Amino acid sequence: KVQQLHSASAHADAAQLTRIFFQEIRVQGVTMGSRDDLAALLAFLGTHDLRPTIALEVPLTDTARGIGLMAEGTHFGKVVVLP
């Protein structure tokens, strides 16, 4: 389900919007803050010695296992793909 879509007509072909609309593909985006926001977050985490919870670390060659865990939706924490 697309609630809002902002696109210049010059980019419509690259995004294959017709295919997205006719096949009713769900498009979901994620937004982030600015570089300053990221710097402030990292400073806060460092000051308070906070670390993310890691649910699973997998090598790049075993990425499918990490994706499978996320698809199950039963994990708590980050799934980290290692080089």
Side-chain angles (χ1 to χ4, degrees):
K1 181 177 180 180
V2 178
Q3 293 179 350
Q4 290 183 344
L5 182 62
H6 300 278
S7 175
S9 60
H11 300 291
D13 290 337
Q16 298 182 354
L17 294 180
T18 302
R19 179 174 168 257
I20 290 170
F21 293 138
F22 283 111
Q23 292 184 354
E24 298 180 9
I25 296 171
R26 182 173 182 243
V27 177
Q28 181 176 347
V30 177
T31 58
M32 295 180 58
S34 66
R35 277 188 176 267
D36 290 340
D37 292 338
L38 178 59
L41 173 62
L42 292 174
F44 178 84
L45 294 175
T47 299
H48 298 283
D49 197 31
L50 298 173
R51 302 284 181 262
T53 300
I54 306 294
L56 178 68
E57 292 181 351
V58 295
L60 185 60
T61 56
D62 200 16
T63 302
R65 186 167 65 125
I67 292 172
L69 181 66
M70 289 189 297
E72 290 173 12
T74 57
H75 71 289
F76 178 83
K78 305 289 185 186
V79 175
V80 179
V81 178
L82 303 169

